[in-house]
Amino acid sequence: MKSIKEKHLNMLADYTEKLYREPKLRHLFLELTLQCNAHCFHCGSNCTPFAGEELSLDEYRQLLDQVKEDFDISKLMLCITGGEPLLRKEFFDIMEYAHRLGYNWGMTSNATLITKEVAHRLAECGMSTISVSIDGLRDTHDKLRGLKGGYDRAMEGIQNLIDENAFQAVQVTTVINHENINELDEMFKIMDKLDIDSWRVINLEPIGRALQRPDLMCTKEDYIRLFDFIREKRSQGYPLLYGCSHYLGLEYEAEVRDWYWLCNAGVYTASIMANGDIGACLDIERRPEVIQGNIRNERFLDVWKNRFEIFRRDISDESEMCRDCGHRRFCRGDARHSWDYDKKKPMVCMKGILFE
């Protein structure tokens, strides 16, 4: 199995070099708003109850028109996010327009605003997939998300989505930290009873507000427990998977996800931030060098074709920590959202945790 994985990973490494030269836009994230009705301690975007500067409805329409002119949207997924996207005043105006143009789209949400009526409207305007955040059992979820009653409202929202019976996939995403990892087994029992299509489990990342809680970062033992848990459940046929965050080494790669790890930022994925800034993954720290332009004064296609150099290269070349690593061909410096752009090294590295 190890030799098979090495063969696959070498093929992927060769393909990635080609992808750096010839990127293929597959996911375009639209951050409709930074407004949020929760205050999650791990939020990477530092969302607030207030809107701040946002693109107008007309600007979104112009963007959607341009992207349809410039790309084959049958091969493109619009990924709608925030903040809490449903707090955007013109949410349904924007998404109904995208639906009329023929876009396939999905959304991430805390689901606390998804009544039966909202679920029906989401179906009417063409939503195909949704991922809902549940970060622990009732008390833990509400504590981590800073929203009393948030768990019950989110679970009700999930059931409303299921009952609508109109979506390709209803997914739950859980962020695991050093404390709530002890609730994995109980959470599995709950998820197993829900008629969801998948349960996506990711680890707490050292970004955004989570930097204020280093005590909640996963330990080596937590990571091993998490990946063993996911692998075991997948072997039993459950639709459980780890997120796209990190290279996991030969033991766990292709065991806890459907395929091998590749950071999509800037090669498969781009994002339009709430203020019109163009970037790659929305979890990346919003520094000047990672902002590639703004759709208010530049056409997205031009930026996609002619910028993004920072994401289309092997960043392990820049790091003393990575330079002599035997896995660097497969890892390439790991995820761009957890890269330390000042110290030129990954903030999360599974070497020494999952592999040597």
Side-chain angles (χ1 to χ4, degrees):
M1 183 59 71
K2 179 179 178 181
S3 63
I4 291 172
K5 288 184 178 183
E6 285 181 326
K7 179 180 178 181
H8 289 164
L9 284 164
N10 274 303
M11 291 170 63
L12 179 58
D14 290 339
Y15 174 76
T16 302
E17 287 301 318
K18 181 179 179 182
L19 197 58
Y20 287 156
R21 299 188 300 271
E22 302 172 14
K24 305 177 188 297
L25 185 66
R26 293 290 179 263
H27 296 93
L28 179 58
F29 282 77
L30 301 183
E31 182 186 68
L32 295 191
T33 183
L34 284 176
Q35 295 179 84
C36 194
N37 57 343
H39 189 78
C40 307
F41 92 99
H42 56 263
C43 180
S45 302
N46 287 304
C47 300
T48 70
F50 308 104
E53 184 182 10
E54 294 180 342
L55 295 175
S56 68
L57 174 58
D58 285 342
E59 286 172 320
Y60 274 114
R61 287 173 173 164
Q62 182 180 12
L63 170 66
L64 292 168
D65 287 339
Q66 285 184 5
V67 172
K68 183 175 181 179
E69 290 174 14
D70 296 338
F71 295 88
D72 179 357
I73 64 169
S74 70
K75 299 178 181 178
L76 177 66
M77 182 74 167
L78 286 183
C79 305
I80 307 305
T81 186
E84 170 50 51
L86 288 168
L87 286 174
R88 174 63 193 241
K89 184 173 60 176
E90 303 93 349
F91 174 88
F92 285 105
D93 296 313
I94 296 168
M95 300 324 303
E96 285 167 358
Y97 189 76
H99 183 45
R100 288 198 301 271
L101 290 177
Y103 282 95
N104 187 31
W105 69 277
M107 179 171 70
T108 57
S109 172
N110 61 36
T112 59
L113 304 176
I114 300 180
T115 61
K116 291 185 181 297
E117 293 74 20
V118 169
H120 185 65
R121 289 199 68 187
L122 290 169
E124 287 184 324
C125 63
M127 187 180 78
S128 60
T129 65
I130 186 167
S131 188
V132 176
S133 301
I134 298 291
D135 288 327
L137 301 177
R138 178 180 285 105
D139 291 345
T140 299
H141 175 90
D142 289 359
K143 176 184 174 183
L144 293 176
R145 295 202 153 253
L147 183 62
K148 188 176 181 180
Y151 177 89
D152 289 334
R153 288 163 60 188
M155 294 296 282
E156 182 179 349
I158 291 170
Q159 193 59 54
N160 290 335
L161 292 162
I162 293 169
D163 291 344
E164 185 64 25
N165 195 29
F167 310 108
Q168 292 179 18
V170 176
Q171 179 186 77
V172 168
T173 293
T174 299
V175 179
I176 291 296
N177 62 55
H178 181 57
E179 290 185 359
N180 70 357
I181 194 169
N182 295 314
E183 299 179 351
L184 263 178
D185 292 320
E186 287 302 310
M187 285 197 68
F188 175 76
K189 294 177 184 178
I190 294 170
M191 298 303 151
D192 189 33
K193 292 177 182 178
L194 284 176
D195 189 21
I196 56 174
D197 297 280
S198 62
W199 183 23
R200 178 174 175 264
V201 182
I202 58 181
N203 57 274
L204 180 66
E205 297 284 84
I207 59 176
R209 292 188 193 130
L211 290 170
Q212 301 169 24
R213 294 298 306 274
D215 56 305
L216 288 182
M217 294 298 166
C218 291
T219 64
K220 176 178 180 177
E221 292 73 23
D222 293 337
Y223 279 120
I224 293 171
R225 179 180 175 185
L226 174 63
F227 294 127
D228 284 346
F229 175 86
I230 297 172
R231 181 164 58 182
E232 177 189 359
K233 298 304 182 186
R234 285 173 64 87
S235 71
Q236 296 169 357
Y238 292 102
L240 178 60
L241 70 156
Y242 179 59
C244 60
S245 295
H246 304 291
Y247 170 71
L248 304 178
L250 294 176
E251 180 175 352
Y252 290 101
E253 280 295 324
E255 303 282 339
V256 296
R257 291 180 286 231
D258 294 338
W259 194 238
Y260 297 92
W261 179 80
L262 167 66
C263 185
N264 286 201
V267 291
Y268 281 136
T269 297
S271 302
I272 310 297
M273 300 171 203
N275 65 355
D277 282 345
I278 301 169
C281 168
L282 285 169
D283 284 336
I284 296 172
E285 181 185 359
R286 298 182 185 188
R287 306 162 56 98
E289 66 265 41
V290 303
I291 304 299
Q292 304 300 296
N294 190 289
I295 63 122
R296 284 182 162 136
N297 47 47
E298 297 174 271
R299 195 175 183 95
F300 173 74
L301 174 64
D302 294 336
V303 177
W304 176 254
K305 288 173 63 176
N306 300 313
R307 311 276 178 81
F308 287 91
E309 296 94 340
I310 191 173
F311 304 111
R312 295 172 184 168
R313 65 173 187 258
D314 183 344
I315 52 175
S316 67
D317 291 331
E318 304 173 14
S319 173
E320 291 184 16
M321 174 178 168
C322 301
R323 209 165 285 149
D324 297 324
C325 177
H327 291 260
R328 60 171 287 192
R329 175 167 163 77
F330 307 147
C331 173
R332 297 170 292 276
D334 208 69
R336 302 307 173 97
H337 72 272
S338 57
W339 179 257
D340 189 321
Y341 290 85
D342 291 318
K343 296 180 180 178
K344 305 295 183 184
K345 67 177 185 178
M347 292 185 285
V348 177
C349 178
M350 294 299 173
K351 185 177 181 181
I353 297 175
L354 301 180
F355 61 92
E356 296 299 331

